[in-house]
Amino acid sequence: MKRKLLTVFTAMFIITGLLVACSGGNDGNTDTDENKDYTITGKNGTGYTVDLPDSAKEGDTVTVNINVTDEDIFIDSVTANNTECTEKSDGVYTFVMPAENVNVAVNTSEYSEVRADGMLTMGDDVLTTIAQNATYPYPSSGLTDGKWRLRVSVDSPYTTSFSRNSGVFSSNQDVIPDSAIELETLDGHDLGHGSSSSNVILAVDICIDTAEISTGTAWLTISLDSDNNSDKGTLAVKVTVVANGDIKVPVESKTLIVDVGALDANDGDSYTMHFYDNNYIDGGEAQEYFDVTGIVSEGKVEFVFDYATGHKYGIVMSPGEKYDFENRVSVAQSVTGTGTSDLYNGYTSAGLMFWTAEEIELEAIVG
C-alpha cells in the first residue's frame, strides 16, 4: 500500500508542475513580436520640421509629414533606416514599420537660380516679381488678359514641339499652383520674322494666371525636352508674388525744359506736359500716365517729374493748367538719337529717354 500511495503522489506532483508551467512561467509579460511597439525617431532640421508618431507595430503603415520652412530648400528624399520612403503627396511620406526601431532621416538640397543652360535662356530683364491680377508685359503688347509672361528663348535648331515630359513646376502650390501655369510656344511667325519663317520654336512664354496666385515666393523649375532631338533644358527661377500695386519701381527726379519762345508765350503762362510710360508695369508703384504743369519764365518752362529708371516715355504738351488733348503743342527734339532700342538722353521715335542726365531741354515749335 505504501508503494501505491507514493506512486499516486508522484503522479499528482508531475501533473501539478505541468499546469503551473502552462499557466505561468513568463512573469506576467504577455507581449509577443506581433504586438510589440517599436520606437520611431526623426529630428527637425535646417529649413524643415518633421511630424511623425513615436512608435508603431511591425507591419503598420507610418505617415511622416515634412513641413519645409525655408523657401530656398527642397526635399531630396526621406528614408527610414536608410530605406527610401514613399512620397504620397507634397510633404507626405510613408513606410511600412519593420520589426525594429526606426530612425527617419530627411535629405535636402538648396535651390540655385539657373537662367541659362545652353538650350534655354531667360534674360535678366525678365521681371520675376509679379503682381496679383495684373498683365505683363503691358501695355505695348496690347494684352489685358491677367497673364504674367516670363519669356524663355530656345536654342534648339530643329525643335518644333516639346515632349510630354516637359513642363513648369512650382515649389509652392499655395503661392503659384501648377494649374495656374501654361506654356505658349513662339516660332518665327509669332515673333514677326516674316512669312518665310519656319515653325521652329524660338521662344516660350511661361504664362501665369495672376488671378490664381497668392502673395509669397515660389521656385519655378522649367523643364523643356525637344520632341525632335535629344536636346533638354532646365532652368530654375525664384518668383515673388506681391499684391497689386506693390511692385517696386525705382524712380529718379528729372527735369524737362521746353523752350516756348516760338509760341510767343509770356512769363507766367501755364503749360501742362502729359507723360505716358511705354514700359509701364501693371501692378507696379509707378504711374502709367501723369500730368505736370509748369510756369513760363524767361521764355522757358520746366517740368519736374518722377522718372521710372530705364523706361521709355512719350510726351505731349498743351497750354493751360490742365492737359488738353485737342490743343496740343508740337515739341521738336534738340538732343538726337537714331536708335529705338538703346537708351538716349533725348527724344527719339521710341520715346523720351533719360539715362544719366538730370535734365534735358527741348524746343516747342509752331505747326
Side-chain angles (χ1 to χ4, degrees), residues 38 53 61 70 93 104 207-208 220 232 249 264 277 302 311 315 328-329 334 337 346:
Y38 295 96
T61 298
D70 185 338
Y93 299 81
V104 173
C207 302
I208 302 173
L220 297 185
K232 297 181 180 180
V249 179
D264 294 327
D277 185 351
E302 291 187 359
H311 288 207
I315 56 171
R328 292 170 292 175
V329 175
S334 60

Side-chain angles (χ1 to χ4, degrees), residues 67-88:
N67 179 37
V68 176
T69 57
D70 185 338
E71 62 198 19
D72 293 332
I73 74 164
F74 60 93
I75 305 299
D76 276 327
S77 65
V78 178
T79 59
N81 285 0
N82 299 317
T83 299
E84 191 161 345
C85 299
T86 301
E87 184 176 5
K88 291 297 184 180

